[in-house]
Structures are given as structure tokens and as C-alpha cells.
Amino acid sequence: MITDKQTINNTMQSPQTLLPPAQLTHLNSDQQQQQTKEVPKKGLSLTREQMVEAQDMFKTSNKVTRPEKALILGFMAGSRENPCPQNGPIVSIKLSEILETLPQPDGIFKAIITDTYFVMNYDTGQWKRIKKYRDPAE
């Protein structure tokens, strides 16, 4: 005779007994199909130079998110699928924001915030990094 306690203990020790193997295989297949839909394989790759440049760029970045990094790497590798076509063909991603002290024309040093952006043009396939300067008081 199996008591409720034994059933619970057996279930906790071997959770795969909860579903027959055919159903487990079916669930795994569905999960694989869902992952394939989310991340289609397109055969994109970066050259060694692009990889080094991306590593250097991300090493000094402090504002870019993981999904934004993936978007940048995909663009550098040749992907031209604009994630937000309604916003136009040019997409800017903020890489970093750094407080710097820079000399002014009058010789006085002034604290300034330097924002670095990665700008992608989905129409031309070109990209560049730009810096914008702003006053920390803003």
C-alpha cells in the first residue's frame, strides 16, 4: 500500500514520471520551435577586425543594454532588419556617458558630459560612432 507521503516523495525525487516520455518529447520540440522563431539563424558573422572593434567599443560602454549590443553586432555583421521602421532608417544607440574635464578656449577647465552614440543607417548600411557634449547642469 502506497501512502500519500510516499507518492509525494517519489514525485519529488523523479519529476519526469509526471509526464509520459512522448509528451516530454513533444514539449521539448515545441520549445525548440519557439526558440527558432525568436532567434532565426541567418548566417551572419563578424570579421576579426569588426570583432576587435566591437570589443573595444563595448569595453568602454556604460549605457548600452544586452539587446542593444545584439542589435549593433547584427548590424555590423550585415543584418538590415530595422527594429523600428516607423522611426525612420537611422537608429542611434547610446553607448556611454562619461563626466570629463576638458580645456576651454579661454584656458579654463570645465566639467562636461560626453555621450557616445552608435548610429546605424539601415538604408545605406553604414554606421559610425559620434560624441555629443553637454553641460552637467542640464
Side-chain angles (χ1 to χ4, degrees):
M1 180 174 173
I2 299 176
T3 65
D4 287 338
K5 236 183 221 184
Q6 288 173 328
T7 304
I8 290 171
N9 287 339
N10 288 340
T11 303
M12 292 177 72
Q13 290 172 358
S14 57
Q16 58 270 38
T17 59
L18 295 175
L19 293 174
Q23 287 181 338
L24 282 177
T25 304
H26 180 68
L27 289 175
N28 289 337
S29 175
D30 285 348
Q31 289 172 346
Q32 288 173 356
Q33 287 175 358
Q34 185 178 10
Q35 288 175 352
T36 303
K37 288 178 187 174
E38 291 173 4
V39 183
K41 295 182 181 180
K42 298 182 183 183
L44 299 174
S45 63
L46 294 172
T47 64
R48 183 179 263 338
E49 294 81 21
Q50 289 172 322
M51 184 60 75
V52 169
E53 189 164 354
Q55 287 172 342
D56 288 343
M57 179 171 50
F58 294 143
K59 183 172 48 176
T60 59
S61 66
N62 61 5
K63 291 293 181 184
V64 67
T65 64
R66 186 173 286 206
E68 290 170 335
K69 284 181 183 180
L71 187 66
I72 290 169
L73 291 172
F75 188 86
M76 290 175 75
S79 175
R80 297 298 177 257
E81 293 181 31
N82 188 342
C84 303
Q86 68 276 11
N87 293 340
I90 298 175
V91 176
S92 296
I93 296 175
K94 189 178 205 176
L95 295 171
S96 63
E97 179 180 299
I98 301 169
L99 180 63
E100 297 180 297
T101 305
L102 299 177
Q104 301 300 302
D106 59 4
I108 298 174
F109 284 84
K110 181 178 179 183
I112 198 141
I113 295 177
T114 304
D115 296 325
T116 305
Y117 293 88
F118 187 86
V119 181
M120 302 172 281
N121 186 326
Y122 280 92
D123 283 349
T124 65
Q126 295 183 340
W127 58 269
K128 60 184 172 182
R129 281 186 276 177
I130 62 168
K131 289 186 176 187
K132 293 185 179 179
Y133 301 96
R134 59 187 170 95
D135 193 334
E138 293 177 357

